Amino acid sequence: MVIIGVDPAFRKGGFWACFLDMSDRSCAFRSFRDVLTWDRFLRSPEAPQSAYVVVENSNLQNATFYTHKTAKGALLTASQAKRSRALIIPLSHAELTRASRNVGTNQGVSELTVRSAIDRYGKDAVLNLSPEKKGAKYDERYFLAALKGDRVTPVGYTGTQDERDAYKLAHIGISELRMRRRALI
């Protein structure tokens, strides 16, 4: 069984997938230019014959994520701003408008990614999660611990947050499939 964790994004270089092959316990990472190249890949002989696909679908969460920034310009959600000890600045109207527009484009890309996977593998083989349900991002240390716990060897990992996000989604897929198996017994 291949579990595919997909972290779609509209921004250049931000659309990543993790292909977790449970037969040899390896995971390979692949960047896609956009949702169109993802869809073409799924229709190619290169795509796994069968797979369980877990997609972060920001369309399931109707919110503007970033409402504040640090003095250095890093964007923060409202909850991150409340917990931060750094100097926090609310986004200006123009910045908030741009952030909302970016969320909208990501929502569209996410929804099309899910639909494409369902079209290829069927509704029962696709799990789409809101960013909130996906949970906190893996930092490098937690990512390495998750790999070790899953007894998985990464192939072609370059160290990006997008790759770690894609792996986290595949990791969620492992848990989801285990729960489904238990429910059948």
Side-chain angles (χ1 to χ4, degrees), residues 103-157:
V103 167
T105 58
N106 277 329
Q107 287 175 323
V109 167
S110 296
E111 185 64 28
L112 290 172
T113 301
V114 169
R115 290 180 187 185
S116 180
I118 289 171
D119 189 51
R120 172 64 172 89
Y121 295 113
K123 188 174 179 125
D124 290 340
V126 178
L127 173 65
N128 68 105
L129 298 173
S130 70
E132 182 179 42
K133 287 216 172 168
K134 182 188 100 183
K137 294 182 175 295
Y138 281 172
D139 63 14
E140 183 72 17
R141 194 172 43 120
Y142 200 84
F143 168 72
L144 294 173
L147 287 172
K148 185 177 181 181
D150 293 337
R151 298 184 322 275
V152 170
T153 303
V155 177
Y157 174 63

Side-chain angles (χ1 to χ4, degrees), residues 55-122:
V55 181
E56 180 179 0
N57 186 351
S58 60
N59 196 42
L60 298 175
Q61 194 167 315
N62 194 16
T64 297
F65 297 103
Y66 301 112
T67 57
H68 296 76
K69 64 182 176 182
T70 65
K72 293 182 179 180
L75 295 177
L76 301 172
T77 63
S79 62
Q80 289 171 327
K82 286 179 187 174
R83 293 189 312 261
S84 178
R85 296 176 193 261
L87 175 63
I88 304 302
I89 305 162
L91 294 180
S92 70
H93 178 71
E95 290 169 323
L96 192 57
T97 301
R98 184 175 62 244
S100 295
R101 199 170 40 248
N102 290 345
V103 167
T105 58
N106 277 329
Q107 287 175 323
V109 167
S110 296
E111 185 64 28
L112 290 172
T113 301
V114 169
R115 290 180 187 185
S116 180
I118 289 171
D119 189 51
R120 172 64 172 89
Y121 295 113

Side-chain angles (χ1 to χ4, degrees), residues 21-86:
D21 187 336
M22 297 306 288
S23 66
D24 66 1
R25 302 202 79 85
S26 68
C27 66
F29 298 92
R30 180 170 175 169
S31 176
F32 292 89
R33 187 180 72 232
D34 53 32
V35 69
L36 295 174
T37 56
W38 161 254
D39 186 65
R40 287 184 197 117
F41 166 78
L42 289 182
R43 277 129 190 68
S44 76
E46 192 180 356
Q49 278 298 104
S50 66
Y52 186 69
V53 185
V54 183
V55 181
E56 180 179 0
N57 186 351
S58 60
N59 196 42
L60 298 175
Q61 194 167 315
N62 194 16
T64 297
F65 297 103
Y66 301 112
T67 57
H68 296 76
K69 64 182 176 182
T70 65
K72 293 182 179 180
L75 295 177
L76 301 172
T77 63
S79 62
Q80 289 171 327
K82 286 179 187 174
R83 293 189 312 261
S84 178
R85 296 176 193 261

